[in-house]
């Protein structure tokens, strides 16, 4: 197997590794686009392995560039078949460059994935401050900013929601709502439709997540 062929296969391997590393954050966006809410947390179990997958991706991509840029040996230079055959696009530096950009975009997806979520412009008229209630839920399955926005997007669809925030690090969602227009059960149902699950309620007296 020649150097070009090796670098091409390594490039493809780096794409697969990068996409796998970010599946936990890509699937919530796919769920929003497709309307298949249940798939949102399908790959959340991959989150603990994300640093290792990123490390593998960088190593594979780095080795692919090494294979592509290292000086050819005298034997390779004199190889007539290598001189005569046209190098396939997937074995070129241009293709490897495209793969490199795409790979880093995939690895960085958790940091910009929330841009795909619509911003809800809520207009709420509160009749009485006595109707305002706060609740804080433990939510399992959230792993990144995309997960947080998935939860906020669904909860904001309910009438009577004043504010909603989520924190994937602490696995919590904080909701302030008008209990004359909605209730805890409806909020729990909305969160559960994302594919993440409310596993319990905690005191809302703590500071809401940011």
């Amino acid at each position: 197997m020649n150097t070009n062929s090796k670098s091409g296969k390594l490039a493809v391997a780096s794409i697969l590794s990068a996409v796998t590393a970010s599946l936990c954050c890509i699937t919530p966006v796919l769920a929003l686009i497709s309307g298949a809410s249940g798939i949102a947390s399908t790959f959340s179990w991959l989150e603990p392995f994300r640093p290792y997958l990123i490390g593998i991706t960088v190593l594979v991509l780095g080795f692919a560039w090494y294979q592509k840029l290292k000086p050819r040996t005298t034997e390779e230079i004199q190889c007539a078949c290598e001189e005569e055959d046209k190098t396939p696009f997937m074995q070129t530096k241009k293709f490897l460059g495209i793969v490199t950009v795409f790979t880093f975009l995939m690895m960085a997806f958790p940091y910009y994935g929330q841009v795909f979520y619509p911003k809800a412009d809520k207009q709420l008229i509160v009749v009485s401050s006595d109707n305002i209630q706060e609740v804080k839920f433990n939510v399992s399955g959230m792993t990144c900013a995309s997960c947080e926005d998935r939860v906020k997007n669904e909860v904001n669809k309910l009438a009577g929601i004043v504010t909603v925030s989520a924190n994937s690090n602490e696995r919590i969602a904080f909701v302030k709502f008008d209990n004359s227009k909605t209730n805890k059960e409806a909020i729990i149902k909305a969160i559960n439709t994302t594919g993440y699950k409310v596993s319990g309620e905690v005191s809302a007296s703590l500071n809401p997540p940011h």
Side-chain angles (χ1 to χ4, degrees):
M1 184 182 297
N2 60 41
T3 299
N4 285 330
S5 179
K6 286 181 181 178
S7 63
K9 291 184 177 181
L10 288 170
V12 173
S14 69
I15 290 178
L16 293 176
S17 182
V19 170
T20 302
S22 298
L23 273 176
C24 55
C25 302
I26 294 173
T27 46
V29 174
L30 294 178
L32 175 67
I33 296 173
S34 66
S37 300
I39 70 170
S41 63
T42 304
F43 294 100
S44 61
W45 61 272
L46 284 171
E47 176 62 18
F49 304 101
R50 177 173 163 75
Y52 303 103
L53 290 168
I54 289 176
I56 291 172
T57 302
V58 172
L59 287 174
V60 170
L61 197 57
F63 189 65
W65 275 109
Y66 169 74
Q67 289 288 330
K68 180 61 65 178
L69 298 176
K70 72 176 182 179
R72 293 191 301 173
T73 63
T74 303
E75 182 180 351
E76 290 173 333
I77 294 174
Q78 293 176 346
C79 180
C81 61
E82 187 176 53
E83 291 177 351
E84 294 174 1
D85 291 343
K86 184 178 179 180
T87 303
F89 176 69
M90 288 186 63
Q91 297 175 12
T92 63
K93 292 179 183 178
K94 184 177 181 179
F95 174 73
L96 189 55
I98 293 172
V99 167
T100 301
V101 172
F102 178 79
T103 298
F104 279 96
L105 284 174
M106 285 296 96
M107 289 192 295
F109 189 87
Y111 303 103
Y112 64 82
Q114 61 269 28
V115 302
F116 294 99
Y117 290 91
K119 301 301 179 182
D121 296 324
K122 298 186 69 63
Q123 295 182 345
L124 178 68
I125 299 176
V126 179
V127 176
S128 172
S129 59
D130 293 337
N131 292 333
I132 298 299
Q133 187 174 346
E134 298 179 352
V135 63
K136 192 174 184 180
F137 296 113
N138 287 315
V139 182
S140 61
M142 291 194 300
T143 58
C144 65
S146 291
C147 307
E148 297 170 3
D149 281 278
R150 176 67 176 156
V151 169
K152 290 188 286 186
N153 183 66
E154 286 301 315
V155 174
N156 268 323
K157 292 179 181 179
L158 299 174
I161 300 299
V162 180
T163 61
V164 55
S165 55
N167 187 307
S168 57
N169 292 324
E170 298 180 16
R171 307 291 200 273
I172 56 174
F174 178 89
V175 185
K176 183 184 290 187
F177 62 99
D178 183 342
N179 60 22
S180 70
K181 295 180 174 64
T182 191
N183 53 50
K184 291 181 183 180
E185 290 71 24
I187 295 170
I188 292 173
K189 183 177 180 180
I191 294 174
N192 288 343
T193 60
T194 64
Y196 312 117
K197 298 298 179 182
V198 173
S199 56
E201 182 180 344
V202 294
S203 173
S205 61
L206 301 175
N207 291 329
H210 298 289

